[in-house]
Amino acid sequence: MDYVYGPGRNHLFVPGPVNIPEPVLRAMNRNNEDYRSPAVPALTKTLLEDVKKIFKTTTGTPFIIPTTGTGAWESALTNTLSPGDRTVSFLIGQFSLLWIDQQQRLNFNVDVVESEWGQGANLDILADKLAADSAHTIKAVCIVHNETATGVTNNLVKVRQILDNYRHPALLLVDGVSSICALDFRMDEWGVDVALTGSQKALSLPTGMGIVCASPKALEASKTAKSVRVFFDWNDYLKFYKLGTYWPYTPSIQLLYGLRAALDLIFEEGLDNVIARHSRLGKATRLAVEAWGLKNCTQKEEWYSDTVTAVVVPPYIDSSEIVRRAWKRYNLSLGLGLNKVAGKVFRIGHLGNLNELQLLGCLAGVEMLLKDVGYPVKLGSGVGAACAYLQNNIPLIPSRI
Amino acid sequence: MDYVYGPGRNHLFVPGPVNIPEPVLRAMNRNNEDYRSPAVPALTKTLLEDVKKIFKTTTGTPFIIPTTGTGAWESALTNTLSPGDRTVSFLIGQFSLLWIDQQQRLNFNVDVVESEWGQGANLDILADKLAADSAHTIKAVCIVHNETATGVTNNLVKVRQILDNYRHPALLLVDGVSSICALDFRMDEWGVDVALTGSQKALSLPTGMGIVCASPKALEASKTAKSVRVFFDWNDYLKFYKLGTYWPYTPSIQLLYGLRAALDLIFEEGLDNVIARHSRLGKATRLAVEAWGLKNCTQKEEWYSDTVTAVVVPPYIDSSEIVRRAWKRYNLSLGLGLNKVAGKVFRIGHLGNLNELQLLGCLAGVEMLLKDVGYPVKLGSGVGAACAYLQNNIPLIPSRI
Amino acid sequence: MDYVYGPGRNHLFVPGPVNIPEPVLRAMNRNNEDYRSPAVPALTKTLLEDVKKIFKTTTGTPFIIPTTGTGAWESALTNTLSPGDRTVSFLIGQFSLLWIDQQQRLNFNVDVVESEWGQGANLDILADKLAADSAHTIKAVCIVHNETATGVTNNLVKVRQILDNYRHPALLLVDGVSSICALDFRMDEWGVDVALTGSQKALSLPTGMGIVCASPKALEASKTAKSVRVFFDWNDYLKFYKLGTYWPYTPSIQLLYGLRAALDLIFEEGLDNVIARHSRLGKATRLAVEAWGLKNCTQKEEWYSDTVTAVVVPPYIDSSEIVRRAWKRYNLSLGLGLNKVAGKVFRIGHLGNLNELQLLGCLAGVEMLLKDVGYPVKLGSGVGAACAYLQNNIPLIPSRI
Amino acid sequence: MDYVYGPGRNHLFVPGPVNIPEPVLRAMNRNNEDYRSPAVPALTKTLLEDVKKIFKTTTGTPFIIPTTGTGAWESALTNTLSPGDRTVSFLIGQFSLLWIDQQQRLNFNVDVVESEWGQGANLDILADKLAADSAHTIKAVCIVHNETATGVTNNLVKVRQILDNYRHPALLLVDGVSSICALDFRMDEWGVDVALTGSQKALSLPTGMGIVCASPKALEASKTAKSVRVFFDWNDYLKFYKLGTYWPYTPSIQLLYGLRAALDLIFEEGLDNVIARHSRLGKATRLAVEAWGLKNCTQKEEWYSDTVTAVVVPPYIDSSEIVRRAWKRYNLSLGLGLNKVAGKVFRIGHLGNLNELQLLGCLAGVEMLLKDVGYPVKLGSGVGAACAYLQNNIPLIPSRI
């Protein structure tokens, strides 16, 4: 079953699924249970309460759905919108592309605002569209907080400001798959109506839970939204919430206990410390890339992502070869360039339960890989640059002081 | 986290989720992996090949979807039918009720054929409807193979015969959630067009995979089916099957390895031996019920289920009290009576990775419970009756001879 | 690796190693750690403190030794005695025999007091010997609290009384391998000088820790004891206890965390409740044996063991065949008859993390086995007798009330 | 329980216990079993056969003892020697010191041959002693293959040559605790009489098994050796080997399955490839140390160890502070300087299931640590030097080509 076994630990630096910490693996190492016993609802209750904290919401209603990020998207859209509804959506990379594709297949009328891959969402166009939409035909603005394909983080504060400027009532739907629990995200403060993430990203769990959080306004919208939905229908959840049994269908017992453990770890570290750690990891990675003389796919600093860095390779190099070789020679898993940037970038995911020395091992590996494929890197240069920053900025581990 | 801890092992006898065997727990005890590396597609390939064996199909196409049984239902329906399509569906218990509800919410035009709870699908009415439908307005016959709420197994061979008798082209969609891998099921031989199950049932895995298998005719239907679908769309899977990468979105690495281990165990035991074991467990349970002087909710022998037995309690007893007490006093998890039979029946699930001595422990527990709630059972009577049958019928464990 | 796989759970009823509860398995599912970091000593400190509670001692000094029960015996003897020292030791079964053999090989001068197998230690002879030993040539009385081979529990209160009656200063060394954490045991109150157990018995852990507890008098004796010892030398431990690093050599990280979890479970249940549970399990087993018309190897009620029952089979049956068949046909592990009682008894271990329904499953299995080998048992009779007692005596699970 | 939790993975670079690979953790994640069933002896048989391969012996007899390295030492000595026997033993660091201490406490007459810490065994003195010993009063030469405290590997080939030169019949007893399965070791070819290792070292298991291998000559010696022993007596094992039940007392079921998995991984990689990997890791570490301008505690290249490197810090730095800080700030576990070299060296363990990128992460961490404590290291220098070597020498992972 592990016929591709390589000695030592796999260095997992794709931007999801990410490393699962041992306490979470332990929590999930268990037999099934009757989810109708008093134990599972009691556990679920704590999860629903605590999961709101990672969205920084007190007014939102969370749904923990046995699905993936793609399903979470579908849940966000079908519960709040009706076929034919007009949405504004930003195409800035592969995942925003796929979400737009889903919006179109679900029969929404999507205004696609495209940017060059490596740039953030074009918010000027959003402003123009909202300004022109005094009839409020735009029902929702859909935006990916962090585009995983290019390592671009969009500015949600600005999106909210623009909506407010034009007093536009459109819902704000945010894909936080590669941001929530890793980047600064404030559902209530930023007026996000639906935010969502997946368990295998910054929460550092296995795949299998799409976590969707709905604002009161989104819940209100769900009462009239006419998109056909059953499995993804929030209403079934709300019905069982009221009964105190919580589950319209069978949840994964293992993931529930895993989520409990994952949240406990995050709260023990402190959510803001988790975000600060990601900031260190992102900055260190970018310093290494710079030291190697390579370009970040992200074109401006304002969009730099602290969860994933897409590194542009020189034209004479095929970035896929780097990814292949990483796995074959160094037991290192890097992210491929996808779609438009296939062959042109490789990606370093630096999110989830990860520390600085793990990242430095990866960066050392990338240096050897660059050499392998003929790029004239000075070995140790990227690691040295990253270390110079990190050595000044890593805090002591609080529980060990 | 385990604040409801009781000494010893939990006796899990709900009809799902069921006991996970240790080799499967072991296989799932692992970190995440890059699902785009060569390893995961290679593993997936073997799974797709082998999973067909549990459906007894060589011509079907399986989809392993990160969802539950409810999602698997939705996948079966939306990929093969269009809004407004007429279906025939049998209401015989809580799970067939929920599936019918889904069909209606997905905007199909459902002919509901209702039976008393405790009876099987009324196939005479099916025959009448098909006979009357020379225009072939019926697009699908939807049937739950084993109704988990009442312990009723429907006769699929007869359903196929009736369809064939009238040369009716309707698709045959089968919910095999509590049957496949436990009861005799033959997708190809019985001309089933879509069959589905969930990982937490007879496969003895955690919840999280809806496994759907489509006949060539169902695949053909999916090309014109107009139901809106994205997450559940087979087409996205088929696209990635062709690419050899298999996954349109992130699968659960742990469940994939778990499924590999689960299939290995089933094949090692032999699927027919697995089915024979369930037959023994079902028969032994029914003999115990009889010895206790209680009634099986299932009204005729032809519908007896080998995966779950719903036991009718005397009117002066509340069956929910038995279930509550089982958990509180004996660390035994029994199934509640649902909906119409709430308070009237309790259910013993006897499916999945389970052996005879486990069942006998449960039956002994039920005897004490019956006494607890004032039913005059002769202690040892049910266990004795079950043992008398089992002692004559349990085979030696092949690997230990 | 599991080429002897049988479906369902193995029913483990040997008197050790016993079932490990899931929370303990989870706690042990971890990578190694540096045992010289601050974390491991901090953990060890709590273990040494808490392990005393299971011995019911406040004045004793515990040693958690990476060894088995045999090593724990050697530790008890070599740290307190010198070659040539006279000991009194009771031969009542296979394990007392092995301990006596060890005492002799370690060059002690052993007064062996033999009883028929199935009887307890002959304390009259002890009294005689002490009475005659005004010169105090007897340095230690060595006694197995619970002889695992015959299911005989010795009366330690009486042993202490006899020693006190004669004001004899001999050390009292007690093998509590199959008693401590399951039977009533009071180190301080009963004036036990060295008590010991193994992790795989009532503590319900894997094999690998011999836990030895020494009274102040035993520690004092260790200062002059001349038996050669290095690995088992308490002195090396005491040296590291003073340093606060605790370990003279590398401990098993996994077992330390496992012990923490095991103790937590025992304290959550309550040690006295644990003992009461064993009393119920023992009583229920004996009632079943009686109902089957079979004899308990233990000849008098005063010696009945609540952790293991040795069942005598009729002369025309080979008890080994029962054990072999249990494993081959029912996935049930029973204890063989050892040495003098080989072929004549089989043993049911009912200790550790075990509940009543598990035991009842085993008893049902034994009934079928008896039938298998031609003994005319009435099926259900033993289970019924056990249930009649248990149904009156099982308390509610406190955490679930 | 994990109150010293730090985010991300612990970087475990003490020279034991070392990282356990996931497949081994998985194999050990299991309930106890009856070790007297047919399954455990069958498993044990394969282990005893296969464990010989890691010693490179076909004529040796292995003993898998539930103990630590210290116990394995005691087993080697007490089974082959009698009190008063003369041994030659080399004091070159903390672990050879402890072994000598044990030899003395076991009442052997030890010729201690001391070297400066950082040097290998003084084999000239051995030659002199053997030359002078025409009466063959020297019964055994005891040597630590790899002194873990100083990172010194002794030359066993030369030891054998010297013994042969003088046709001296002394037994050759070798502590291979931090060498076997990582360094070149050839029991038969080098005429080693007893070799031993511990499970938590290069085998990458938890602590708990001392594995001792005896040559025919050693077994012969055991027949007359008069050292008192019971728990460590080979004879008890041999008796049970003949019976085919293998175990004189209860083994750890989990460690047996773990050992099976560990051996499978080693054989899959190829023992010689494992050794070559350690050679790369050792060389890379030394290149980094050199690049940092620091000294290896090991004074000559001929003694360089490929499993552990002891790094000498400048006099103005306390190496313990580096180790403390590594754990507190970087979640990195380094080895302390012990005894004579306390405060003067810190140690990097690079043995067991470890790959190059893991090591490079550690080396980057050490660079930051050096800076932390005021040593003027050029960040990236050590990692760069190591990479330059590794990038030329790491092979492709065979299973992934």
Side-chain angles (χ1 to χ4, degrees), chain B residues 190-208:
Chain B
W190 298 347
V192 173
D193 290 303
V194 187
L196 59 91
T197 188
S199 49
Q200 81 278 19
K201 298 285 182 171
L203 275 165
S204 300
L205 285 160
T207 307

mmCIF file of all heavy atoms in Angstrom, chain B residues 190-208:
data_model
loop_
_atom_site.group_PDB
_atom_site.id
_atom_site.type_symbol
_atom_site.label_atom_id
_atom_site.label_comp_id
_atom_site.label_asym_id
_atom_site.label_seq_id
_atom_site.Cartn_x
_atom_site.Cartn_y
_atom_site.Cartn_z
ATOM 1 N N TRP B 190 -28.839 -8.145 -12.078
ATOM 2 C CA TRP B 190 -30.182 -7.640 -11.804
ATOM 3 C C TRP B 190 -30.504 -6.362 -12.589
ATOM 4 O O TRP B 190 -31.558 -5.751 -12.396
ATOM 5 C CB TRP B 190 -30.357 -7.355 -10.301
ATOM 6 C CG TRP B 190 -30.211 -8.573 -9.420
ATOM 7 C CD1 TRP B 190 -30.188 -9.881 -9.822
ATOM 8 C CD2 TRP B 190 -30.075 -8.598 -7.991
ATOM 9 N NE1 TRP B 190 -30.036 -10.717 -8.745
ATOM 10 C CE2 TRP B 190 -29.971 -9.961 -7.602
ATOM 11 C CE3 TRP B 190 -30.029 -7.614 -7.008
ATOM 12 C CZ2 TRP B 190 -29.821 -10.341 -6.274
ATOM 13 C CZ3 TRP B 190 -29.886 -8.003 -5.680
ATOM 14 C CH2 TRP B 190 -29.779 -9.362 -5.322
ATOM 15 N N GLY B 191 -29.600 -5.983 -13.454
ATOM 16 C CA GLY B 191 -29.876 -4.818 -14.286
ATOM 17 C C GLY B 191 -30.116 -3.539 -13.494
ATOM 18 O O GLY B 191 -31.011 -2.752 -13.799
ATOM 19 N N VAL B 192 -29.301 -3.340 -12.472
ATOM 20 C CA VAL B 192 -29.415 -2.104 -11.708
ATOM 21 C C VAL B 192 -28.645 -1.007 -12.435
ATOM 22 O O VAL B 192 -27.530 -1.228 -12.907
ATOM 23 C CB VAL B 192 -28.856 -2.301 -10.281
ATOM 24 C CG1 VAL B 192 -28.808 -0.988 -9.523
ATOM 25 C CG2 VAL B 192 -29.681 -3.349 -9.534
ATOM 26 N N ASP B 193 -29.243 0.170 -12.541
ATOM 27 C CA ASP B 193 -28.597 1.238 -13.298
ATOM 28 C C ASP B 193 -27.737 2.145 -12.447
ATOM 29 O O ASP B 193 -26.688 2.612 -12.879
ATOM 30 C CB ASP B 193 -29.636 2.033 -14.081
ATOM 31 C CG ASP B 193 -30.205 1.195 -15.210
ATOM 32 O OD1 ASP B 193 -29.380 0.744 -16.039
ATOM 33 O OD2 ASP B 193 -31.418 0.940 -15.221
ATOM 34 N N VAL B 194 -28.227 2.482 -11.275
ATOM 35 C CA VAL B 194 -27.352 3.160 -10.325
ATOM 36 C C VAL B 194 -27.522 2.472 -8.980
ATOM 37 O O VAL B 194 -28.656 2.279 -8.512
ATOM 38 C CB VAL B 194 -27.666 4.662 -10.181
ATOM 39 C CG1 VAL B 194 -26.602 5.322 -9.301
ATOM 40 C CG2 VAL B 194 -27.731 5.358 -11.536
ATOM 41 N N ALA B 195 -26.404 2.101 -8.394
ATOM 42 C CA ALA B 195 -26.421 1.526 -7.050
ATOM 43 C C ALA B 195 -25.487 2.379 -6.220
ATOM 44 O O ALA B 195 -24.526 2.954 -6.735
ATOM 45 C CB ALA B 195 -25.929 0.087 -7.076
ATOM 46 N N LEU B 196 -25.777 2.461 -4.935
ATOM 47 C CA LEU B 196 -24.953 3.323 -4.106
ATOM 48 C C LEU B 196 -24.886 2.804 -2.683
ATOM 49 O O LEU B 196 -25.806 2.125 -2.202
ATOM 50 C CB LEU B 196 -25.509 4.754 -4.112
ATOM 51 C CG LEU B 196 -26.944 4.944 -3.611
ATOM 52 C CD1 LEU B 196 -26.960 5.241 -2.119
ATOM 53 C CD2 LEU B 196 -27.591 6.068 -4.403
ATOM 54 N N THR B 197 -23.791 3.131 -2.028
ATOM 55 C CA THR B 197 -23.659 2.823 -0.612
ATOM 56 C C THR B 197 -22.812 3.905 0.061
ATOM 57 O O THR B 197 -22.286 4.803 -0.609
ATOM 58 C CB THR B 197 -23.073 1.422 -0.372
ATOM 59 O OG1 THR B 197 -23.161 1.140 1.040
ATOM 60 C CG2 THR B 197 -21.606 1.330 -0.783
ATOM 61 N N GLY B 198 -22.713 3.810 1.380
ATOM 62 C CA GLY B 198 -21.902 4.761 2.133
ATOM 63 C C GLY B 198 -20.822 4.010 2.882
ATOM 64 O O GLY B 198 -21.007 2.852 3.272
ATOM 65 N N SER B 199 -19.703 4.676 3.094
ATOM 66 C CA SER B 199 -18.542 4.001 3.659
ATOM 67 C C SER B 199 -18.767 3.486 5.071
ATOM 68 O O SER B 199 -18.140 2.531 5.488
ATOM 69 C CB SER B 199 -17.348 4.949 3.645
ATOM 70 O OG SER B 199 -17.695 6.206 4.199
ATOM 71 N N GLN B 200 -19.662 4.122 5.825
ATOM 72 C CA GLN B 200 -19.802 3.779 7.247
ATOM 73 C C GLN B 200 -20.753 2.615 7.488
ATOM 74 O O GLN B 200 -21.080 2.320 8.632
ATOM 75 C CB GLN B 200 -20.258 5.004 8.042
ATOM 76 C CG GLN B 200 -21.736 5.306 7.989
ATOM 77 C CD GLN B 200 -22.157 6.085 6.740
ATOM 78 O OE1 GLN B 200 -21.435 6.120 5.739
ATOM 79 N NE2 GLN B 200 -23.307 6.693 6.784
ATOM 80 N N LYS B 201 -21.201 1.988 6.419
ATOM 81 C CA LYS B 201 -22.114 0.865 6.579
ATOM 82 C C LYS B 201 -21.313 -0.437 6.448
ATOM 83 O O LYS B 201 -20.322 -0.596 7.139
ATOM 84 C CB LYS B 201 -23.230 0.978 5.558
ATOM 85 C CG LYS B 201 -24.058 2.256 5.754
ATOM 86 C CD LYS B 201 -24.991 2.154 6.958
ATOM 87 C CE LYS B 201 -25.836 3.423 7.107
ATOM 88 N NZ LYS B 201 -26.875 3.263 8.116
ATOM 89 N N ALA B 202 -21.733 -1.338 5.594
ATOM 90 C CA ALA B 202 -21.102 -2.657 5.609
ATOM 91 C C ALA B 202 -19.614 -2.627 5.253
ATOM 92 O O ALA B 202 -18.880 -3.556 5.566
ATOM 93 C CB ALA B 202 -21.849 -3.605 4.682
ATOM 94 N N LEU B 203 -19.151 -1.558 4.647
ATOM 95 C CA LEU B 203 -17.721 -1.448 4.365
ATOM 96 C C LEU B 203 -16.911 -1.219 5.645
ATOM 97 O O LEU B 203 -15.690 -1.348 5.659
ATOM 98 C CB LEU B 203 -17.445 -0.317 3.367
ATOM 99 C CG LEU B 203 -17.574 -0.685 1.894
ATOM 100 C CD1 LEU B 203 -17.649 0.569 1.044
ATOM 101 C CD2 LEU B 203 -16.408 -1.554 1.450
ATOM 102 N N SER B 204 -17.594 -0.793 6.691
ATOM 103 C CA SER B 204 -16.970 -0.658 8.014
ATOM 104 C C SER B 204 -15.855 0.384 8.059
ATOM 105 O O SER B 204 -14.816 0.181 8.688
ATOM 106 C CB SER B 204 -16.444 -2.023 8.485
ATOM 107 O OG SER B 204 -17.498 -2.950 8.577
ATOM 108 N N LEU B 205 -16.116 1.495 7.417
ATOM 109 C CA LEU B 205 -15.194 2.632 7.428
ATOM 110 C C LEU B 205 -15.849 3.794 8.176
ATOM 111 O O LEU B 205 -17.023 3.722 8.521
ATOM 112 C CB LEU B 205 -14.925 3.069 5.976
ATOM 113 C CG LEU B 205 -13.994 2.191 5.158
ATOM 114 C CD1 LEU B 205 -14.201 2.432 3.675
ATOM 115 C CD2 LEU B 205 -12.547 2.506 5.542
ATOM 116 N N PRO B 206 -15.117 4.863 8.410
ATOM 117 C CA PRO B 206 -15.776 6.082 8.873
ATOM 118 C C PRO B 206 -16.728 6.610 7.805
ATOM 119 O O PRO B 206 -16.637 6.239 6.627
ATOM 120 C CB PRO B 206 -14.614 7.066 9.067
ATOM 121 C CG PRO B 206 -13.422 6.218 9.259
ATOM 122 C CD PRO B 206 -13.658 5.011 8.381
ATOM 123 N N THR B 207 -17.613 7.483 8.211
ATOM 124 C CA THR B 207 -18.456 8.200 7.262
ATOM 125 C C THR B 207 -17.564 9.083 6.377
ATOM 126 O O THR B 207 -16.513 9.536 6.815
ATOM 127 C CB THR B 207 -19.422 9.120 8.029
ATOM 128 O OG1 THR B 207 -20.102 8.347 8.999
ATOM 129 C CG2 THR B 207 -20.428 9.762 7.102
ATOM 130 N N GLY B 208 -17.983 9.336 5.157
ATOM 131 C CA GLY B 208 -17.236 10.294 4.347
ATOM 132 C C GLY B 208 -17.108 9.942 2.880
ATOM 133 O O GLY B 208 -16.660 10.755 2.087
#
